[in-house]
Amino acid sequence: MRNQNFIVSILLSMCLLLTTPLTYADSDEADKSVLEIAANVYSFSLDGGYISMFVVTDEGVMVFETMNSGHAKAMVAAIKKVTDKPIKYAFQSHNHWDHASGGQVLLDAGADTIAHAEAIAWMEANPGRDTVLPQTSWEGNRKDMELGGVKVELHYLGMNHGLGMTVFILPQLNIAYIADIVTPNRIIFSVAPDFNLREWERSLGEILALDFEKAVFSHNELPNPLAGGNKEHVALQLKYIKDLRAAFFAELQQGTNPMLIPKQLKLPEYENWVGYSDWLEMNVWRILADEFMGPFPWRPEPQQTNQ
């Protein structure tokens, strides 16, 4: 019952984020939701649950992740308090409604909304009540853009989470924006919905090879989530998944009934991570399902090209 109530509370919180009254952005609280993490680079959040990033350049502003209309309107108001430069680009990392909503607010602010073609195809087939299709689509596994002398690398790493998942690298600033596939100091959400675990591991290894030092994460359970993190948190995310699988197979090798492993398995190294008592058992069930039924989701990957 405790797990069920916890999940319900999370889902209700997500619903509230999608229906946040648009008056919040007009209050002084918006100022407290912005942190300059590097010169002209800011993280933004209404309450620490969902975190966006925006970058101010000589020619305008780039936004990373629109989330929902309440969040987006508050972010636009916060940007206007930082700079009078126009908002030129609003990047969306992937297809899921809780990240890809709110685009109309950025369109109304004059921005070009941008997402991977794979994400846009899903959004078109599965319209959310707060979503609009991005204006600009890109294909392949890499696209580079530039605004005001600041370069942005868009990296699509194939299957991992959702569709069209893009990792954004600003090489001159040594900063990345990473949505969902790295969440510092938190156990994997529930049964890892819409994650391919093996492909997720591969993607995290490829992210570690990319050129950045600091990162802003869309979800972050560190004491100061707006401050972001670094490659160590990417490595810890990868380590947790590997440790989870290794512990599951260690129980199998000891002869433990697979159906009993989810309740019996413990990972004390991670007991202080958020969600440990509520989600660890569900994480183990997901490992069990993948190892006995096969990985999901899965799809054939198209041949990738650079843009």
Side-chain angles (χ1 to χ4, degrees), residues 13 28 36 68 85 101 116 120 133 206 212 214 227 238 271 307:
S13 296
D28 291 337
E36 187 171 16
N68 61 73
K85 301 289 185 184
S101 298
H116 193 275
I120 294 176
L133 293 181
E206 293 181 16
F212 70 95
K214 193 175 186 64
L238 178 57
E271 64 184 2
Q307 293 284 299

Side-chain angles (χ1 to χ4, degrees), residues 225-237:
L226 286 177
N230 51 46
K231 277 191 175 180
E232 179 185 357
H233 299 107
V234 180
L236 285 171
Q237 182 79 67

